[in-house]
Amino acid sequence: MSNNLKVRKVAVLGAGVMGAQIAAHLVNANVDTVLFDLPAKEGDRNGIVNRAIANLSKLSPSPLAAKSRAAAITAANYEQHLPLLAECDLIIEAIAERMDWKLDLYGKIAAHIAPHAVVASNTSGLSINAMADALPDAVRPRFCGVHFFNPPRYMHLAELIACRGTDPAVLEGLEAFLVSTLGKGVVHAKDTPNFIGNRIGVFSILSVLHHTAAFGLGFDEVDALTGPLLGRPKSATYRTSDVVGLDTMSHVIKTMADTLPEDPWHSHFNTPDWLKALIAQGALGQKAGAGIFRKIGKTISVLDIGTADYRPATGEAAAEVVEILKLKDPAEKFAKLRASAHPQAQFLWACFRDLFHYSAFHLADIADTARDIDLAIRWGYGWKLGPFETWQAAGWQQIASWIEQDIAAGKTMANAPLPAWAVDGRNGVHQAEGSFSPSSNAIKPRSSLAVYGRQRFPDPVLGERYGAGETVFENDGVRMWHDGDGIAVVGFKTKMHTVSDAVLDGLQQAIGIAEKDFSGLVIWQNSEPFSLGADLKGAMGQLQAGKVDEFGAMIANFQATSQRIKYALVPVVAAVRGMALGGGCEFQMHATRTVLALESYIGLVEAGVGLLPAGGGLKEIATRVGLATAAGGDVFAGLKPYFEAVAMAKVSTSALEAKELGLARESDVVVFNPHELLFVAKAQVRELADSGYRPPLPARQIPVAGDVGIATFKMMLVNMLEGRFISEHDMDVATRIATVLCGGNVDRGALVDEDWLLKLELEHFIALAQMPKTQARIVHTLTTGKPLRN
């Protein structure tokens, strides 16, 4: 069988939490999807599935990249619709974690599976081989495990687990589909309980549970230590357990206890009494309104084991421990943690030590390489570094000898020795050429599968380097580079990729060079966000110093840069991921085309700080709407949704929603794997250049909504002001936005050009910027990161 798996249609079996969300992510990616569950006992036979689909739009964060996508999921039940399976190229089983239920379902579907279809179980830890044995011989080569992490739209990790008879070509085809179509980071796991992510991740939680009790720390204190201070999510350890569900947590621990009797750490695979008591009371975590933490109003309280009651959550990391964790040198940091007498420092050393010990001991059983474990933990649990990367960065041999000393002293959770490869004098498990594989006792490079050729900069593990291309030119704001393929790339060097004078001048210079020496230019950043827009701090400095002319000149230069992007003689493609706000949004609006990662959060948000978009954004909206309705259409009706989006500073929750808001064009391309963004953007430049690209002609006759449009928007605003939905300053800002969008106080249907609209933007932006209320908003946002309503 070739590895060229073509997936037109997918069936997802099971409309529970995971099944419904996997179906949602498939339709996000334009994959025709049928979602199955049991027939409802009364009423509509598809009632169970239809309720699950309806529930998708209520979840936060949303599994749907656009609410309209829910309608694309076909509802089905096992009683009436099994023949639909014959049309499916991929069948993903995602029912409850009961082996008997899964085997029963496989018996039902076996006769309906197409001869080419791939069948995969989304189990989080049951044996893939045991399931394969229940399938007909002909299906087994096309069966494997695909374990998505929750929530499947946002979690990068998908574990791929072969059974004994899986055809390698099936795995390759499925891996390419998962990576490119669904945007996942694929890790190959062996068929062992809980696979890689949950085996190591849950052990890490168990070690935290054990050492919390051993060092007498509070749950809130531990969460203060095990979150962002360690490069991990804000939800840390106990808050994460509440979010996952304490019953789920207990179930996973029980699975480890039942299925891993030989594990040297087996005595620790049990649910503590206090956790059993919470579950018995129905305090299952976030879904039940109480768990380890409980929130009443704005007050967060935490369980105190001593009193078996809740107390205010006030625990924090000790100042001396925070100072250790802030150290830049990992070797120094670990030496100080181990040497410190503070219980919090001893707790952290013990947790890391036991995690390193467990990961090294089990590496050969559960994974092929150390890279698989590190990427699984980073992508599945949101850690900045995996366990082996952390160990290697801190000095492999020194840490290994300390672990051995602690094993000898009986301080570790198990007395199993470190494997021989871990103490053979090596400096670590990751090198530029690849990562250590215990089964072959060698360094293994990354996969050579063709799909990875689309990733110029894969997510690197420690020690990996990907050349940054040849520099064409750089200044304080930007760097322009190329790979020798005739396409230039420019990225911003500023913090959060904000737009400074150096960025504006650098972009204009880069376009000039691209026109002369390259077939096109890509605006791409090597990390998120794309850009948070204008450098407000610098702008505020100019205003407060009374340099209004300099401030105005900077805004005019911003507009000139946007126009330079739009009218460049070679295609300029913006490659966006993460936030593209304000000026960042305006730059991509002016690009010849935008390539957007699915997780792109785009908005013209200036109204939030009492300003209006003045980098050409309002001009571009007025131009697009005017030209689209030039044949006698209603310009005002076209402007209304844009006005609402800009005046309310709306930000899209995905690339698909950015299209719905009109901040991205229908012709813009959406990419699901952020690591493929640059590849696709370059492909767009090549296609445009090969088609004989010419920039658009300047728009000189743009019909506008004029004074009638402004008056109509003002009536809407007066109603909002009287209903106290907006303040007087909001009213002023929104009126000025309406004035620019409508082309100023001219007759309805009057024809204007782009320069006229740009002048209006500039004039109203400078007027707003000088107002005390706007300046108060800007200062408040810069100091608190939150908007001010004044």
Side-chain angles (χ1 to χ4, degrees):
M1 179 175 177
S2 100
N3 67 5
N4 192 11
L5 175 68
K6 288 281 178 265
V7 179
R8 290 182 198 285
K9 197 168 194 175
V10 176
V12 178
L13 311 180
V17 173
M18 280 303 279
Q21 293 200 48
I22 291 168
H25 194 56
L26 285 160
V27 293
N28 287 340
N30 282 0
V31 179
D32 193 5
T33 303
V34 188
L35 180 60
F36 280 85
D37 210 305
L38 295 164
K41 291 197 169 67
E42 48 198 50
D44 178 2
R45 306 295 275 155
N46 287 335
I48 292 171
V49 177
N50 284 327
R51 275 195 298 279
I53 294 171
N55 191 47
L56 288 170
S57 53
K58 297 175 191 155
L59 296 176
S60 179
S62 176
L64 297 160
K67 283 198 165 63
S68 56
R69 290 287 160 124
I73 303 172
T74 303
N77 67 74
Y78 304 128
E79 196 172 271
Q80 296 172 296
H81 303 119
L82 286 180
L84 287 177
L85 292 174
E87 302 167 12
C88 296
D89 308 295
L90 172 62
I91 298 169
I92 300 172
E93 170 271 304
I95 69 167
E97 292 289 80
R98 282 268 305 264
M99 185 64 89
D100 53 340
W101 291 358
K102 289 182 190 284
L103 300 186
D104 179 54
L105 181 60
Y106 292 174
K108 274 189 194 147
I109 67 168
H112 301 278
I113 300 168
H116 70 284
V118 175
V119 183
S121 173
N122 178 58
T123 176
S124 58
L126 296 178
S127 169
I128 299 299
N129 281 299
M131 291 181 214
D133 292 343
L135 286 163
D137 292 351
V139 177
R140 273 180 222 162
R142 294 176 278 119
F143 179 74
C144 62
V146 172
H147 178 217
F148 292 92
F149 270 60
N150 190 18
R153 170 182 160 189
Y154 301 94
M155 298 308 288
H156 192 55
L157 179 63
E159 292 177 315
L160 199 52
I161 311 100
C163 67
R164 279 183 295 272
T166 309
D167 179 347
V170 166
L171 286 180
E172 289 182 3
L174 191 52
E175 182 166 359
F177 172 74
L178 290 166
V179 169
S180 208
T181 305
L182 298 187
K184 296 296 154 208
V186 169
V187 165
H188 287 259
K190 295 186 181 178
D191 187 21
T192 56
N194 289 351
F195 311 127
I196 299 175
N198 283 340
R199 181 76 177 271
I200 301 297
V202 173
F203 175 78
S204 172
I205 293 171
L206 285 168
S207 76
V208 169
L209 284 174
H210 172 77
H211 293 303
T212 300
F215 291 98
L217 304 183
F219 299 135
D220 47 347
E221 201 178 350
V222 168
D223 272 8
L225 289 166
T226 59
L229 281 175
L230 300 185
R232 297 180 190 174
K234 278 201 300 236
S235 54
T237 306
Y238 291 105
R239 180 85 192 91
T240 298
S241 304
D242 269 352
V243 171
V244 168
L246 301 184
D247 50 344
T248 306
M249 186 73 200
S250 179
H251 171 77
V252 175
I253 295 170
K254 185 177 185 308
T255 302
M256 288 178 78
D258 293 348
T259 54
L260 296 165
E262 305 299 312
D263 192 306
W265 283 261
H266 186 266
S267 63
H268 296 286
F269 300 163
N270 50 50
T271 303
D273 289 340
W274 59 265
L275 187 49
K276 286 181 187 159
L278 283 178
I279 295 168
Q281 292 161 27
L284 304 179
Q286 188 172 280
K287 61 190 171 188
I292 297 167
F293 290 91
R294 185 175 68 182
K295 191 174 180 185
I296 297 171
K298 289 196 172 171
T299 311
I300 297 172
S301 45
V302 63
L303 181 72
D304 185 312
I305 299 182
T307 63
D309 200 357
Y310 290 91
R311 61 167 174 79
T314 52
E316 54 188 21
E320 67 184 87
V321 178
V322 172
E323 285 311 305
I324 296 173
L325 293 176
K326 278 185 185 164
L327 291 167
K328 290 276 184 281
D329 175 12
E332 186 187 358
K333 186 188 300 185
F334 272 87
K336 291 207 159 150
L337 280 178
R338 190 166 189 268
S340 169
H342 197 287
Q344 288 186 1
Q346 291 179 341
F347 161 82
L348 286 171
W349 161 251
C351 289
F352 274 115
R353 172 201 67 211
D354 287 320
L355 173 64
F356 297 158
H357 186 192
Y358 191 81
S359 302
F361 185 86
H362 285 297
L363 171 59
D365 317 335
I366 67 174
D368 185 31
T369 71
R371 178 175 55 245
D372 298 323
I373 284 185
D374 281 343
L375 290 179
I377 291 297
R378 276 169 38 181
W379 294 342
Y381 281 79
W383 294 14
K384 281 212 173 77
L385 290 176
F388 290 128
E389 290 177 294
T390 308
W391 178 351
Q392 182 169 325
W396 188 275
Q397 291 194 45
Q398 177 62 78
I399 297 283
S401 75
W402 284 339
I403 297 171
E404 287 195 302
Q405 287 170 35
D406 282 9
I407 294 170
K411 290 180 178 175
T412 49
M413 287 168 70
N415 60 8
L418 279 172
W421 63 260
V423 289
D424 64 3
R426 71 179 54 248
N427 291 321
V429 287
H430 300 303
Q431 297 175 16
E433 302 76 45
S435 297
F436 178 69
S437 166
S439 59
S440 54
N441 195 31
I443 292 292
K444 272 204 176 176
R446 282 186 179 248
S447 167
S448 57
L449 209 57
V451 70
Y452 294 111
R454 297 166 62 86
Q455 299 187 12
R456 169 69 174 81
F457 296 98
D459 199 350
V461 291
L462 195 74
E464 284 183 321
R465 290 279 178 275
Y466 299 98
E470 187 180 328
T471 300
V472 180
F473 105 94
E474 62 185 313
N475 66 7
D476 288 345
V478 306
R479 173 178 176 258
M480 180 185 189
W481 59 277
H482 73 98
D483 271 334
D485 54 4
I487 299 170
V489 182
V490 66
F492 305 172
K493 292 159 61 176
T494 47
K495 190 177 178 186
M496 303 303 274
H497 304 136
T498 52
V499 181
S500 61
D501 284 321
V503 168
L504 296 171
D505 296 341
L507 273 177
Q508 293 185 46
Q509 192 176 337
I511 292 166
I513 296 170
E515 287 175 329
K516 196 159 69 46
D517 299 331
F518 294 91
S519 55
L521 179 68
V522 176
I523 303 174
W524 173 85
Q525 317 293 8
N526 60 3
S527 62
E528 292 184 18
F530 176 72
S531 171
L532 294 194
D535 170 18
L536 276 180
K537 204 171 179 184
M540 200 59 210
Q542 286 178 333
L543 280 175
Q544 287 175 329
K547 298 178 180 171
V548 178
D549 290 347
E550 278 181 33
F551 177 74
M554 181 200 159
I555 304 306
N557 195 25
F558 211 123
Q559 294 181 336
T561 307
S562 292
Q563 292 296 84
R564 190 79 179 86
I565 291 170
K566 183 175 179 177
Y567 292 110
L569 290 171
V570 291
V572 178
V573 171
V576 173
R577 59 182 162 159
M579 288 187 283
L581 304 180
C585 174
E586 290 173 301
F587 282 161
Q588 68 82 28
M589 287 174 78
H590 285 79
T592 315
R593 191 168 290 166
T594 301
V595 178
L596 303 137
L598 179 70
E599 301 307 332
S600 292
Y601 312 119
I602 299 180
L604 293 171
V605 295
E606 288 84 351
V609 287
L611 293 167
L612 54 72
L618 296 183
K619 175 273 301 179
E620 196 58 20
I621 292 169
T623 303
R624 286 182 193 178
V625 173
L627 295 179
T629 52
D634 183 351
V635 176
F636 177 81
L639 287 173
K640 196 163 174 275
Y642 285 101
F643 171 73
E644 287 168 5
V646 178
M648 292 168 68
K650 276 187 189 169
V651 177
S652 77
T653 58
S654 73
L656 301 188
E657 198 178 87
K659 288 190 174 193
E660 290 183 350
L661 290 173
L663 298 172
R665 297 155 289 202
E666 272 312 308
S667 57
D668 289 336
V669 179
V670 179
V671 172
F672 273 59
N673 196 316
H675 300 295
E676 294 185 357
L677 198 61
L678 183 57
F679 175 87
V680 177
K682 283 188 169 193
Q684 293 295 316
V685 167
R686 209 168 283 118
E687 178 199 312
L688 288 159
D690 289 350
S691 308
Y693 177 76
R694 288 287 306 171
L697 284 167
R700 297 195 176 100
Q701 293 198 308
I702 305 158
V704 291
D707 48 11
V708 176
I710 299 169
T712 315
F713 277 131
K714 269 177 121 168
M715 274 163 43
M716 288 165 47
L717 292 168
V718 166
N719 288 338
M720 291 178 79
L721 182 66
E722 286 176 353
R724 298 195 176 173
F725 295 109
I726 58 172
S727 69
E728 286 191 8
H729 192 51
D730 291 329
M731 169 99 181
D732 195 2
V733 173
T735 302
R736 289 172 184 273
I737 290 169
T739 303
V740 179
L741 284 175
C742 293
N745 281 303
V746 294
D747 293 343
R748 178 168 66 177
L751 300 177
V752 303
D753 62 13
E754 289 186 70
D755 285 344
W756 170 265
L757 293 166
L758 288 170
K759 284 193 185 95
L760 277 174
E761 272 189 5
L762 188 59
E763 173 196 324
H764 287 284
F765 186 90
I766 291 173
L768 283 170
Q770 294 178 79
M771 292 182 181
K773 283 193 171 176
T774 287
Q775 294 193 7
R777 285 189 182 191
I778 295 172
V779 170
H780 188 268
T781 300
L782 285 172
T783 49
T784 68
K786 295 190 172 92
L788 171 69
R789 291 295 304 277
N790 58 359

